Each structure stands twice: as structure tokens, then as C-alpha cells.
Amino acid sequence: MRRYLPFTSWDKLPSCGVLGLVLLTFVAGKIGGRGGYISIPGSLSDDGLWWSRQLCLVLGVMTMARLWFVGAAALGVSLASAQAVISAQGCTSRSFTIPSWFVEDLTATEGGASFSLLNRATNQTAEYTCQGGNCSAEEEIEDLVASVQISGTRASVSVNQTWSCSDRTPETKFTAAGTASVPLTDGKADSSPLLVKGSLLQPVALTPRYNEGPTGHDTPGCLAKSENPSWVLSHVIWADQDGDEITSVKEQRLTFILTNLANGYEASCMSQGPVATNIFCAGTEFQSFTIGRYSISTAVQFDPATYSVTVSQTWFCDDHNPAKPLQISATGTLPLPLSCTTEPIPSSPTHLKKFCTVPTTDSTVSLTGTLGTVVTLQPYSIEDPVPATQDSCTLSSIYSPKWQFSYFSTYNGSISFEIILQTNRGFRYPNPVYQGKSAGDGWWECEMGYDGGAQVPEGPLWPYKCQFRWDEGRKELSLRAEWECLELDAENPVRFSGVSTATVNSNIVCEKVEHREYTDEPLGEGEELTIPEPVGVVDYCYTENPSYAWVGDVKDVTWTSGKSL
């Protein structure tokens, strides 16, 4: 039997918006691929297709924005609740995301060392002196053990600490441990503060994930080369068509690859409209989930009359000292040395099209810039996790676990609905659940829909295993579910289980519909998809309000950490 499960999310999007998302993904892929670029055909005759692609690309971006706002509205989230912000950035949240310490003013002394220690989760500080590797604080801190080992011109600092956070209910106890080393010059640490990254030992065992940061930030020589900023423009193509707007389109297009020689960052650049003055550039930041809070930004202006290009770019370097990361801005201008050919447009011979490239041996142009502002950022902030404004999967599951249900329906007695964890979910839509095999006593196994096994960086926000029961008289949906959260440590996710019961407080309407039998056999060569003839009439029931969603608290929650499924 061939069975075609209904698309309960994608079919809500405009088709061109979906195409736009595909194109956006494709463009991002081309940007990310080394040496890849967006090419312009030598002939400009297929204008309609090109502009359709641009329109759909824009609609794709608009669709992504729509997904966010519609999803946020469905969740009932407040984008800027002061209480949520404080909670998400409090002691508990920081203890899960950055269990770590700053070691400041580390100085080697005769037979020992001295330093200041700051717990980044609790903001608790202490002054330490060490003899023979063992350290003691001027004001002793309970459940904190620190040690320093000096070997030649290098110091290694180890910390093990237990603390409690009471900004959430219930109060949570944490234990973390970590070690870091640093070179010494004249008895003093080369980097201050020194970051000691910790691994949690309780309440769960995990090592929080840090970001990779923007491209090339720690590339050797990043800062030194940035003092004399320069770029290379490659794959430069300029096309100018004077169409009659009837049989041919009037348009200008400029495309090229921009490479920053200080950090190796590449961006694909292309004009955005019929007059190519503002050039859009994008690099790996459009397809990476681990860049962090700082992303390289590029602005390009182009003068079609003089072929002059002005590049303004901001990037980041911490290769010299991660404790003192820098944000660097620079600007450069040059006229492109283009070689052009001009010929009539076949569909409109009185109008011309011009096609230009760079005639150099390697088809590249070098651009020297002028250094602008240089800003010192917070220590280690380039790779630090982005400060939370809302709870993510793990904290939501521990402190306020809730499932959001929607699109409840029954078809010929078989139940289906959509589900997603009520948390900071970004662009994620709920996932469909269908009725599977009987689990006894009115319970049914969940058969997850098309995205049930998705392994995106933050992990699925729905169960990997569940059972449900429907009480038609009370209109209650009960769920026994197991799920996991990967956003803190994908290798050792936090795994949860719990039970939820929620009432469908919406009118359920029913109608008779024609029933068709589908097969799940693959189509044969040359075989076309056909809709089978009806074989009967069945009841189809659904919530009267199609956008109705309801929330169920999760009770009896248990959680642990372990290897990813």
C-alpha cells in the first residue's frame, strides 16, 4: 500500500515562499562552498526567470519572518518580558550554559602563586594564594577547591566547585570542574583573565557547547594583517542591459566574491535591483548555527557610471589574546578595471546589453582599505554562548515543562495532532503525530510525522517516543512522552520523560468525507502519481477553529544525561 501522509505545515506556506526558502538555502550553500559563487549567464535573454528567482528569494525571506511571528503568536510568547529576560540570564541559566571561572592577575611567586577567582555563574569572587600547588582563599568559600601547578613558563589552574541557585523553583545545586593553562612571562600570566571552562557534574553531567565565532577570528596573523586591511575581488561580472521593458527587461547586475586577507572570510556579493548601486553580500553566517553573538558584516556601494566599488566591513580578531577580542572596521574604494563587450538584444535590436569581466591573468582585483574604528570587546565573548532572553529546551523542560498541541483531528476513528515543546523555538513548527499500534488500556503508540527524527543543531522539540490516550467524553488528550534536549551538549543531551493531560477547549465538528485507499509502494519507472477512486464514506472530525492550540503541563518529570540517541 502506498500511503501519502498529509503535509500539515509546509502546505500552509505560499509556494513561491517555499521556493524562496529553497533558493535561500541554495545561495547560502554556494556562499559557504569554497570558491563557489552566484553566476550570471552570458546571455541576458532569460530575464523573466532571473527576476522570478529574485522575487521568490525575497518572498522566502519574508516567509521565514512570517514563520517566526506566526510561531511566536501561536506560542503566546512575549518577545520582551522583563521577568523572562531576568530569569533566562540568572544564576540557574548561567550555571547550565557557562559553568566557568575567570582567573585574574595570576602571578607566580616563590614556591606558589596568587590570583583572583570569579565564578561566572554566581558572580562570586575570591582572592587566592597558593603554596605547593594547594590554594586557600582570604575568605574561605565553602565547597570550592582550587589548585595551581607551575611548570617552567606555564601555569595550570584547576577548579572544582559546588554552589546553589535559588532564582528558580526548586533551588538547584550545581557542581562543576575544569582546568586551563596559560603561558607566563616574567612570572605573570600572558592572558588575564584566564578562562577556565567547566563541565557540569551535577545536576546532570554535560559540557556546555561554546560557539565557533565568526570566520577567521583566531587565525594566526588576523590582528597584524588587519592593521593594513585589504581584500581581493574575484569572479567579477558586470552586466548592463538597456531593455525596452516589453520584450526585454532593463536591468543591471554586479556579482563577485569578496575575500578579506586578514581572516580568510569570503562573501558572495550581488546587486539587489534594476539599478546596481547597493550590493548585498553574505558569507557563512547565513548557514551557521555556531557563530555566536558577533557576525561579520559587509556593505558595498557601486557607481555604475565609474565602475567604482566601495567596501565597508566589520570583522573580529582574538588571535593575539582571546581575553581581549577586537572588533575591527575598515573601508576601501577602487574603480573596477573591467573589459566589456556590447551587442544588440536579439528581441529588441535597438537596445543594447553589455557584459564585463576583469581581464587580469587570475581574474582578480586587489583592494587596499583604510582602518576605521577598533573596539575592545568583553573577554572571551566571541566564543561565549549568546546570552539567553528566553529559556531553551533544557531549562524549559526542567522548570516549566509544557507541550503545545494543535490541529487535533480524527479520521475514521484514527487520531492525529501536532505537538511542540513550549520553549524558545525560533522558526520551528510543531510536528505531526499519528495514531499507531495499540498499547493497551486505551493508549496508542505515537507514529511521528515527517520531521519526527530531525537532527537539527538544537535537536527536535517533540518526543522521540510517546503514547497517547483520547477521552472523547471529557475531550481530554493524555500523553506519556520521552524527549531530549541537545542545545547544551549534543554528545550528552539531557533526556526527559513525563505525563501530560490537557482538555481540548474548542468545538469539534464532524463531517462525512470520501475515503480513498493509498499504497506505500514506490512509483515505478514512468509511473505517474494518481488519486485512487473513493471506496466509501467515513467521519472526519476536527477543531472548529483551525488555528486553535492548547497547552498541557507535564507532570512526574524525570531527567538524566547520556549519549545522544
Side-chain angles (χ1 to χ4, degrees), residues 411-412 509-515 536-542:
Y411 181 84
N412 196 24
V509 296
C510 298
E511 59 181 281
K512 298 290 185 181
V513 296
E514 293 180 331
H515 178 64
V537 176
V538 298
D539 289 322
Y540 172 51
C541 302
Y542 50 90

Side-chain angles (χ1 to χ4, degrees), residues 144-163:
L144 193 160
V145 178
S147 63
V148 174
Q149 298 294 327
I150 306 294
S151 178
T153 58
R154 196 166 193 88
S156 176
V157 182
S158 297
V159 183
N160 185 303
Q161 185 178 5
T162 297
W163 67 93

